[in-house]
Amino acid sequence: MRGICTDRVRPRQRILDTARNLFRKYGIKGIGVEAIAEAADTNKMTLYRHFGSKDELIAECLREAANRACDIWKDLEAQHPDDALAQVRGWVRFGSACVLAEDRGCDLANAAVELPDGDHPAKRVIQEFKVAQRNRLAELCRRADLQNPDLVSDTLSLLLEGARVNRQSVGLDGPCAQFVAAAEAVIAASQRRTDTVAADAAR
Amino acid sequence: MRGICTDRVRPRQRILDTARNLFRKYGIKGIGVEAIAEAADTNKMTLYRHFGSKDELIAECLREAANRACDIWKDLEAQHPDDALAQVRGWVRFGSACVLAEDRGCDLANAAVELPDGDHPAKRVIQEFKVAQRNRLAELCRRADLQNPDLVSDTLSLLLEGARVNRQSVGLDGPCAQFVAAAEAVIAASQRRTDTVAADAAR
DNA sequence: CGCCAATGTTACCGACCGGTAACTATTCGG
DNA sequence: CCGAATAGTTACCGGTCGGTAACATTGGCG
């Protein structure tokens, strides 16, 4: 018995992966620790030995999701080395892929909505992650020689955050379908200093 | 005893108002029906006689919130009669006021995040509301003679949705602080056909 | 007044919640 | 091969959840 091939990973990691999926599927408050443990082919005691409480499990899940999400920046640099503008455009396309692929939005943002309690251990994780992402994108926009880089990066952040949350309300046919077009227009409008780019951006 | 002056409203309305506040404060899944009934100076039975279930109470709350939110359009028309562009700008300022005033974002969008279950009676309410808002704003942008009115309205929608959800993760100092600037820039960029406005929009 | 509908009260249901205790079985490194 | 750490099992705790039954109380209206 037991799962077919999941046995090579230790319970701690199985629990984290399973919890992340179930939180996405049912909402953080919509799934209990026992169900998580069972779905991870283990038991409640082991879960509580690794994470002291459900709240800590939540926080650890988000920490992992945040680390995973931070890999973008390396990927972008790898795909477009020394081309900050192409990296900004890559960020947009990556964001679009997230919107299209995931029926649920950003785990961190969703958790912030689901956990209004300001003292929750997850809140610190969420805030630090979002601030870090914001700074990274702003830096990228600066290196891409865009006008008003801080305004552009915050605009792009808001567009993506809006697209990911709006998809959960309206679906794929809603405003989120315009995310790429909106983002590209913003980028184009703030790079007017170079001369030839305005034309292809209008398309 | 009893509340000081709340007795003039019938229990049904008291329950709706109280539920809306408590859902905001603790999250939909974070508060129980008994607590809602007691906070509304009534009891669980009365609640269940008016709304058949917690899920129906949630849906009814959102229906009311949606109706309340629809009053904007009349207000905008009243404040800037026959000036669609001013109404678009008014929409932006109203959105900004929401972001600044409420620590929690749009009740409907939050509910969509908190209730991943696709069969929940609230889902239909949320979707219809968001679609209606989108159409209204798009129509306004069309009447304001903006270029690409559909793209502009969706961009503005995404910006506001992003600002309201991002505020819950990062707080008021995050990207949401740039909502007005971002929105104004988008509007300005899409009204280049008239000649004099570009200057004041640059500020 | 007397009737009826709306409300309030109390007690209860089964299910599940997050969390713990005590004990056993497994694994793995020295 | 032994000992220690890790993992699994079972049973349990008090509390809360959404939801219901039966009955008592109120209040408005003909």
Side-chain angles (χ1 to χ4, degrees):
Chain A
M1 54 187 72
R2 198 46 46 98
I4 303 212
C5 67
T6 31
D7 266 352
R8 303 295 282 272
V9 272
R10 300 288 240 177
R12 181 190 157 89
Q13 193 57 45
R14 279 183 346 233
I15 292 171
L16 277 176
D17 292 341
T18 308
R20 227 165 42 97
N21 289 332
L22 294 182
F23 286 155
R24 274 178 121 87
K25 196 171 201 168
Y26 300 102
I28 292 178
K29 299 213 180 131
I31 190 79
V33 284
E34 185 133 39
I36 295 174
E38 277 173 14
D41 264 326
T42 178
N43 53 80
K44 208 170 21 163
M45 268 317 298
T46 300
L47 187 153
Y48 272 99
R49 275 189 285 247
H50 280 289
F51 318 90
S53 67
K54 187 187 184 183
D55 288 339
E56 274 307 323
L57 171 61
I58 295 168
E60 194 60 33
C61 277
L62 296 184
R63 239 168 257 133
E64 210 191 35
N67 287 336
R68 210 166 296 195
C70 280
D71 293 346
I72 309 183
W73 305 111
K74 292 172 207 150
D75 296 354
L76 286 178
E77 175 62 35
Q79 286 172 24
H80 311 280
D82 295 321
D83 186 348
L85 181 59
Q87 287 180 38
V88 174
R89 286 222 171 91
W91 181 91
V92 171
R93 284 192 308 154
F94 177 83
S96 165
C98 285
V99 172
L100 293 176
E102 307 159 359
D103 49 336
R104 299 271 284 167
C106 169
D107 290 341
L108 289 294
N110 287 353
V113 171
E114 254 194 296
L115 307 170
D117 175 17
D119 293 340
H120 197 286
K123 276 302 180 70
R124 147 177 306 256
V125 181
I126 297 168
Q127 168 138 8
E128 287 175 0
F129 167 74
K130 289 287 180 186
V131 168
Q133 295 285 94
R134 183 195 192 197
N135 290 338
R136 291 264 206 158
L137 185 60
E139 185 204 343
L140 206 57
C141 288
R142 235 170 281 125
R143 286 198 284 124
D145 259 333
L146 296 176
Q147 291 178 318
N148 288 320
D150 289 344
L151 176 59
V152 172
S153 68
D154 280 348
T155 303
L156 294 178
S157 291
L158 293 183
L159 285 175
L160 180 55
E161 197 100 77
R164 296 184 83 176
V165 69
N166 195 272
R167 195 213 142 131
Q168 298 180 66
S169 302
V170 205
L172 273 177
D173 295 334
C176 76
Q178 301 271 24
F179 166 68
V180 171
E184 287 286 353
V186 167
I187 294 174
S190 81
Q191 61 169 172
R192 252 175 277 142
R193 72 166 38 142
T194 44
D195 27 24
T196 61
V197 278
D200 77 88
R203 193 267 115 198
Chain B
M1 52 187 74
R2 200 44 48 97
I4 304 210
C5 67
T6 31
D7 266 354
R8 302 295 282 271
V9 272
R10 299 290 240 180
R12 181 191 157 89
Q13 194 57 45
R14 280 185 342 236
I15 292 172
L16 277 175
D17 293 340
T18 309
R20 226 164 43 95
N21 289 332
L22 295 182
F23 286 155
R24 274 179 121 86
K25 196 171 200 168
Y26 300 103
I28 292 178
K29 300 217 180 129
I31 190 80
V33 284
E34 184 132 41
I36 295 175
E38 277 173 15
D41 264 328
T42 178
N43 53 78
K44 209 170 20 164
M45 268 318 298
T46 301
L47 188 152
Y48 273 99
R49 275 189 282 247
H50 281 289
F51 318 89
S53 66
K54 188 187 183 183
D55 288 340
E56 273 307 322
L57 171 62
I58 295 168
E60 194 58 34
C61 276
L62 295 184
R63 241 168 255 134
E64 210 191 36
N67 287 336
R68 210 166 296 195
C70 281
D71 293 346
I72 310 183
W73 305 110
K74 294 173 205 149
D75 295 355
L76 286 178
E77 175 62 33
Q79 286 172 23
H80 311 281
D82 296 321
D83 186 347
L85 181 59
Q87 288 180 38
V88 174
R89 286 223 170 89
W91 181 92
V92 171
R93 283 191 310 153
F94 177 83
S96 165
C98 285
V99 173
L100 294 175
E102 307 159 359
D103 47 335
R104 299 271 285 165
C106 169
D107 290 342
L108 289 294
N110 287 352
V113 171
E114 249 192 303
L115 308 170
D117 176 17
D119 293 340
H120 197 287
K123 276 302 179 71
R124 149 178 303 255
V125 181
I126 297 168
Q127 168 139 7
E128 287 174 359
F129 168 74
K130 290 286 179 186
V131 168
Q133 295 285 95
R134 184 195 190 196
N135 291 339
R136 291 266 206 158
L137 185 60
E139 185 204 342
L140 206 59
C141 288
R142 237 172 280 126
R143 286 198 284 125
D145 259 334
L146 296 176
Q147 292 178 316
N148 287 322
D150 289 345
L151 176 59
V152 172
S153 68
D154 280 348
T155 303
L156 293 178
S157 292
L158 293 183
L159 285 175
L160 180 55
E161 197 100 77
R164 295 184 84 176
V165 69
N166 195 272
R167 195 213 143 132
Q168 298 179 67
S169 302
V170 204
L172 274 176
D173 295 335
C176 75
Q178 302 270 23
F179 166 68
V180 172
E184 287 287 354
V186 168
I187 295 173
S190 81
Q191 61 168 173
R192 252 175 276 141
R193 69 167 38 142
T194 43
D195 27 24
T196 60
V197 278
D200 76 271
R203 194 270 119 207

